[in-house]
Amino acid sequence: MSNYKKFYHPQNYVNRELSWIDFNGRVLEEAVETSNPLLERANFLGITQSNVDEFFMVRVASLHKLMAANVTTTDASGMTPEEQLMAVNEKEHRMVEERYHVYNDVIIPALAKQRINIARFNQLSEEQRNFLHRYFREELLPVLTPMADDSSRPFPFISNNSLNIAIKLERDRSEDDEETQQKILEGDQEVERRPQEPHDDRNEGHDKFATVRVPKIYKRLVKLPHENTFVLLDEVIKQFLNELFPGYRILATGTYRVSRDMDLDVAEEDASDLLRAVQHQLRAREHGSVMRMEVEAKTDSWLVNHLIDNLGVSDMSLYRVNGPVDLTFLKKLSGMVEGHDDLRYKPFKSYLDPSFSMDHDIFQTIRQKDHLVQHPYDNFQAVVNFIHQAAVDPQVLAIKMTLYRVSGNSPIIKYLGQAAQAGKQVTVLVEVKARFDEQNNVRWARRLERMGCHVVYGLVGLKTHCKLALVIRRDEDGIRRYMHLGTGNYNDVTAHFYTDMGLFTCDYEIGVDMTNLFNMLSGFARPRYFHKLHISPHGIRNFINLKIDEQIAVAKGGSPALIRMKMNSLSDKQIIAHLYEAAAAGVKIQLLVRGITCLRNDLPELQGNIEVHSIVGRFLEHSRIYYFKSNGHDEIYLASADMMTRNLNRRVEELFPVLENDTKKRAIDIFDAMWRDNVNTRVLHGTEYEMIDRDGQPAFDSQQYFVDEAVAQQSAEKRQRKNRRHMSTVLETLTRHVSKLHLSDPEKGDQHD
């Protein structure tokens, strides 16, 4: 019987939110790492900003709501919501300082050495300033709208993550005096008795507040002609703001931004129309409470206090930044810089197995054997072609699929609609509660319905996060199910930079399980059991616990036992405690965890049996692998689920086996390669990650290894095609030669035969 609960002590766990900030710190380290190309380093810095934006909009927002509800229960690490909130803000303030140190003292000087400049206005030539003035007058001025805050106009609404300029100004009295003097000189005796103009503020206080929103329709970086010099859009606007306020003098300006509570809260048990409920919540959340306000460090204190008072910002939620507010513009820099290919990652073409091209029968390919793919090294087009061929194949009867996040112009949506219009039965589960993709998914759901697909929205109270595609086809020997099961989303865009794995199979028992699962998602079916799939809620937790217990029993019996897991995050209290128990029993545990890690591996009871690596590199590690080895037997599973409470208890997720020898070997080889990585890897020591010490060992970058492998496969395939063409040409030549011999001398031709 398991005894993992003895590890349920707060000192045995790292706080989830603080662990996430540490992860974002590992991303920041990539911006400093000189072995990365410079424009990619700038991109990493931009990624840290977008990461933390989402963190405040969701995780920090959740802590605020718990604190507002007077919740005083503690998390696994023993911290109350209020304590977590204080600790998060304290740590993030330090991280902000570090981010802007990297921006000002590392990235900007390094870019300048390459003649790539993000310039301040006072660094520009007169010609460049004139260019920007024309740009302001012709492009920006007609679009900008100044918003005043005074006795007749209330403080305007500041939308989430919008960039704004706060302005302190006063009436230009010199213009009033000149106007009055001119009237007197012209004999106007009614000057003093003239009625006030609309919103005349001559009798109000001196300092005025206004704000201008920086329009999102324009790129944040304004590129100057004929060179790689850029100026921030808000800097351009600030230089010419006086043209928006004639009759006033501008005393101070400052760029600022607020992040609001953007967590979607749909009470599904009360919502008969989930789609309408989600749309309503999308509108409502735009007015969520302010979680954070960022302002330029040198912003006038009167402006900052005015913003604090009107936006309800607490002291700990105010972030003064030593540089441009919102560094996400750095993610766009590489695409705007001309030339400098040496400052970017070398592009590579992912490998597409010819048997998954539209020129081949993909269903025959899958009938012959299972196929394991790893994106982005294997081309995601294999998955797209699978759905495309199912849409146009007259033998296909039905397609069933789950969609969590798809791209803005998804070819998969197109082919599902095409299949429905061809008369096939198409059922699509669209998760309209997928965070920050809600609006996109609502739009796709409506479109799929218009194209004739049957669209469902999942189960009450649960997000459907599994990644499944099921095609039912009438083969010559009867009905057969063809499937794709994946660890990542059916998103053709993110598949270029997320690492994920997928399995194509027509295994009979997995097919039965998939049918039962889709019936459960779309109807009232409640399968009593699944043959080979393990489904959350609860099913994956129970299965992982069973496997851990099996390894504990092996270790206690005196034999070697090994648990290897790869995931995005490890935060579930019970699973962590069970891993502690296994390590204490002698099971060797190797964990690849990209993000949150609430486990600490320095407890004396663990006997050093838990090793944790975190890979942060060119591609975002997103695949989930669960691998158990003992008594000469390997079992390896892939899943859509991390070891997080939400994935195990509150989502529909799938975990599936890799069964055939070649696919199992490839999956194990993939894990082995990642475990050998000593370039992108940090190693956990207690609660802190440190770069791996190569200790004289040659560098091994697992992501580059897989890129090289894909390129080699491409080259081999190209050689094979060339050889086939050559052989075909030789055969054609020989055939023509033999034919000529036959025609010129039939008797000799018979002898040749």
Side-chain angles (χ1 to χ4, degrees):
M1 180 179 291
S2 288
N3 191 27
Y4 56 77
K5 289 187 178 180
K6 69 180 182 180
F7 290 99
Y8 279 8
H9 300 293
Q11 64 269 25
N12 294 341
Y13 295 87
V14 175
N15 175 260
R16 169 192 163 135
E17 319 307 343
L18 298 179
S19 177
W20 183 91
I21 295 176
D22 288 338
F23 155 67
N24 209 33
R26 297 197 290 279
V27 180
L28 183 60
E29 288 173 358
E30 294 297 308
V32 182
E33 177 53 57
T34 55
S35 63
N36 291 326
L38 179 56
L39 289 173
E40 307 296 348
R41 290 165 57 193
N43 181 53
F44 275 115
L45 182 53
I47 289 171
T48 65
Q49 179 74 65
S50 55
N51 282 350
V52 81
D53 290 349
E54 182 172 332
F55 177 70
F56 269 85
M57 290 186 288
V58 178
R59 297 303 308 172
V60 174
S62 296
L63 292 175
H64 270 280
K65 283 185 277 196
L66 289 172
M67 195 174 80
N70 296 317
V71 174
T72 56
T73 54
T74 60
D75 73 327
S77 69
M79 298 176 71
T80 66
E82 183 177 8
E83 290 169 338
Q84 293 181 66
L85 198 55
M86 296 294 289
V88 161
N89 277 287
E90 181 182 345
K91 192 165 190 170
E92 180 54 25
H93 274 286
R94 294 197 298 271
M95 287 298 300
V96 166
E97 290 181 9
E98 183 63 25
R99 271 201 296 280
Y100 281 88
H101 161 69
V102 172
Y103 176 81
N104 292 311
D105 301 335
V106 180
I107 297 298
I108 292 299
L111 288 170
K113 286 181 180 179
Q114 300 294 331
R115 305 180 79 85
I116 302 168
N117 296 294
I118 300 174
R120 301 301 298 264
F121 203 81
N122 59 12
Q123 298 172 319
L124 303 178
S125 67
E126 185 176 356
E127 182 183 357
Q128 290 171 325
R129 294 184 190 194
N130 290 337
F131 167 81
L132 291 175
H133 198 179
R134 289 194 301 273
Y135 178 73
F136 176 84
R137 285 191 163 179
E138 295 170 8
E139 283 282 337
L140 301 176
L141 187 59
V143 176
L144 297 174
T145 303
M147 305 290 288
D149 176 27
D150 60 16
S151 58
S152 60
R153 290 162 294 195
F155 190 88
F157 175 73
I158 307 300
S159 60
N160 178 65
N161 277 353
S162 62
L163 206 62
N164 302 272
I165 300 170
I167 306 141
K168 179 182 179 182
L169 62 171
E170 69 175 6
R171 187 73 180 238
D172 192 340
R173 302 294 176 181
S174 63
E175 291 190 8
D176 291 345
D177 294 342
E178 288 175 10
E179 180 184 351
T180 301
Q181 289 298 322
Q182 185 64 32
K183 294 288 186 181
I184 292 172
L185 288 172
E186 292 173 358
D188 187 350
Q189 302 300 315
E190 301 297 321
V191 165
E192 297 303 322
R193 296 192 294 274
R194 184 182 57 188
Q196 287 191 348
E197 300 169 4
H199 303 299
D200 192 340
D201 61 1
R202 296 184 203 192
N203 297 320
E204 294 184 8
H206 290 289
D207 293 339
K208 310 295 178 191
F209 176 91
T211 185
V212 172
R213 180 172 174 174
V214 178
K216 286 186 176 181
I217 56 173
Y218 296 103
K219 293 178 180 177
R220 178 83 184 278
L221 289 169
V222 181
K223 190 174 188 300
L224 295 173
H226 316 305
E227 54 189 316
N228 284 319
T229 297
F230 305 87
V231 181
L232 290 168
L233 184 62
D234 41 313
E235 287 296 311
V236 176
I237 294 171
K238 280 192 280 191
Q239 289 301 317
F240 305 109
L241 269 176
N242 60 305
E243 298 188 28
L244 283 170
F245 299 96
Y248 287 82
R249 286 196 311 116
I250 293 174
L251 304 176
T253 63
T255 303
Y256 70 99
R257 185 174 75 136
V258 298
S259 299
R260 295 182 177 274
D261 176 357
M262 297 294 282
D263 202 15
L264 200 68
D265 186 18
V266 181
E268 294 175 70
E269 60 274 13
D270 299 324
S272 57
D273 187 337
L274 180 59
L275 210 59
R276 189 176 295 116
V278 168
Q279 289 173 310
H280 173 75
Q281 281 293 314
L282 285 172
R283 290 189 295 270
R285 81 173 180 186
E286 292 298 324
H287 292 262
S289 301
V290 173
M291 298 295 105
R292 172 190 61 172
M293 183 171 74
E294 300 160 283
V295 298
E296 291 176 297
K298 295 180 180 179
T299 302
D300 179 89
S301 59
W302 183 88
L303 283 175
V304 174
N305 290 333
H306 195 89
L307 291 169
I308 288 172
D309 292 343
N310 284 277
L311 291 167
V313 180
S314 64
D315 288 342
M316 68 177 177
S317 301
L318 173 65
Y319 286 79
R320 293 181 178 270
V321 302
N322 185 27
V325 172
D326 183 9
L327 296 176
T328 56
F329 66 86
L330 291 169
K331 295 164 64 176
K332 306 291 185 183
L333 180 63
S334 179
M336 297 181 69
V337 169
E338 295 178 6
H340 290 290
D341 289 343
D342 58 316
L343 303 183
R344 301 178 179 90
Y345 287 126
K346 185 179 178 181
F348 85 101
K349 188 176 180 181
S350 54
Y351 174 68
L352 179 64
D353 186 330
S355 62
F356 279 90
S357 72
M358 288 299 291
D359 297 332
H360 287 72
D361 184 345
I362 294 174
F363 300 109
Q364 182 184 18
T365 298
I366 299 172
R367 270 199 308 274
Q368 290 171 347
K369 68 184 187 71
D370 290 356
H371 289 262
L372 185 71
V373 289
Q374 184 190 20
H375 312 301
Y377 318 107
D378 291 315
N379 200 316
F380 187 74
Q381 194 62 37
V383 179
V384 175
N385 288 347
F386 173 60
I387 302 301
H388 187 183
Q389 200 161 108
V392 299
D393 187 334
Q395 299 306 113
V396 168
L397 307 175
I399 304 172
K400 301 183 181 186
M401 198 167 185
T402 61
L403 297 178
Y404 190 75
R405 298 188 198 276
V406 293
S407 66
N409 190 28
S410 171
I412 286 177
I413 297 283
K414 171 186 170 183
Y415 297 134
L416 290 172
Q418 187 176 333
Q421 290 167 350
K424 304 181 194 303
Q425 181 81 12
V426 179
T427 304
V428 187
L429 189 145
V430 180
E431 182 47 78
V432 294
K433 303 186 296 299
R435 184 171 292 136
F436 300 121
D437 272 330
E438 300 97 343
Q439 203 157 9
N440 193 42
N441 286 4
V442 166
R443 180 169 59 87
W444 283 130
R446 295 294 194 201
R447 180 174 173 183
L448 286 164
E449 287 176 333
R450 287 195 300 270
M451 291 189 294
C453 300
H454 180 58
V455 180
V456 293
Y457 307 115
L459 303 175
V460 170
L462 300 172
K463 281 187 180 179
T464 302
H465 191 247
C466 51
K467 328 292 185 182
L468 303 168
L470 170 64
V471 174
I472 296 93
R473 186 175 189 269
R474 187 185 300 281
D475 289 349
E476 291 182 0
D477 55 350
I479 300 292
R480 184 176 274 109
R481 301 175 182 90
Y482 295 87
M483 293 150 284
H484 174 268
L485 305 92
T487 68
N489 298 307
Y490 290 110
N491 188 316
D492 56 294
V493 173
T494 58
H496 287 99
F497 53 91
Y498 279 34
T499 74
D500 271 305
M501 298 169 72
L503 181 71
F504 291 99
T505 184
C506 57
D507 181 272
Y508 176 79
E509 289 186 320
I510 292 179
V512 172
D513 286 348
M514 289 257 293
T515 297
N516 289 336
L517 175 58
F518 275 104
N519 289 343
M520 179 185 81
L521 293 173
S522 63
F524 290 108
R526 299 188 67 180
R528 289 191 296 274
Y529 64 91
F530 291 94
H531 297 87
K532 291 179 178 176
L533 295 187
H534 302 278
I535 306 298
S536 281
H538 310 308
I540 295 177
R541 179 188 296 280
N542 293 340
F543 179 73
I544 294 294
N545 280 327
L546 173 65
K547 289 291 148 188
I548 294 173
D549 281 336
E550 288 177 357
Q551 299 304 89
I552 290 172
V554 169
K556 286 183 174 179
S559 298
L562 175 65
I563 295 173
R564 309 177 92 185
M565 296 181 175
K566 178 181 184 291
M567 66 202 84
N568 293 289
S569 296
L570 172 61
S571 63
D572 185 79
K573 178 179 178 179
Q574 183 270 315
I575 293 293
I576 290 172
H578 209 169
L579 290 173
Y580 285 157
E581 182 191 10
V587 179
K588 296 291 183 182
I589 299 171
Q590 296 174 343
L591 304 175
L592 284 163
V593 187
R594 172 176 57 86
I596 297 165
T597 317
C598 295
L599 171 149
R600 55 185 303 164
N601 63 350
D602 59 348
L603 307 182
E605 303 97 310
L606 308 183
Q607 307 174 62
N609 283 329
I610 299 182
E611 296 178 81
V612 186
H613 291 185
S614 177
I615 295 177
V616 179
R618 174 179 182 176
F619 305 113
L620 186 145
E621 291 292 342
H622 194 254
S623 54
R624 289 91 168 192
I625 304 172
Y626 301 98
Y627 173 22
F628 307 91
K629 181 174 183 176
S630 58
N631 296 327
H633 184 59
D634 294 290
E635 291 183 42
I636 193 159
Y637 302 85
L638 307 179
S640 62
D642 295 317
M643 293 295 104
M644 303 180 75
T645 305
R646 70 182 188 190
N647 298 94
L648 300 175
N649 291 3
R650 301 191 299 274
R651 290 187 174 186
V652 180
E653 308 265 14
E654 98 275 7
L655 179 146
F656 55 95
V658 181
L659 297 170
E660 295 188 357
N661 289 335
D662 58 341
T663 50
K664 181 186 286 189
K665 181 180 183 305
R666 187 182 181 202
I668 293 171
D669 287 347
I670 287 170
F671 193 105
D672 285 342
M674 288 187 287
W675 193 254
R676 285 167 49 207
D677 190 302
N678 58 17
V679 172
N680 303 307
T681 296
R682 282 86 171 162
V683 178
L684 183 67
H685 297 287
T687 61
E688 303 291 333
Y689 279 100
E690 297 176 9
M691 292 297 296
I692 199 166
D693 182 4
R694 288 204 283 269
D695 194 26
Q697 296 294 315
F700 180 75
D701 180 337
S702 62
Q703 295 186 345
Q704 188 59 47
Y705 169 79
F706 294 129
V707 166
D708 294 342
E709 192 176 55
V711 170
Q713 286 176 304
Q714 297 264 24
S715 300
E717 181 61 34
K718 190 175 181 179
R719 287 194 300 272
Q720 289 175 2
R721 287 198 303 269
K722 185 177 180 180
N723 290 338
R724 285 194 294 268
R725 285 196 299 269
H726 177 69
M727 289 301 297
S728 177
T729 302
V730 170
L731 287 172
E732 288 177 7
T733 303
L734 287 172
T735 301
R736 285 196 301 270
H737 181 66
V738 170
S739 297
K740 288 178 181 178
L741 288 173
H742 275 273
L743 291 171
S744 61
D745 191 342
E747 291 185 5
K748 286 184 179 180
D750 289 338
Q751 290 172 3
H752 282 294
D753 290 342

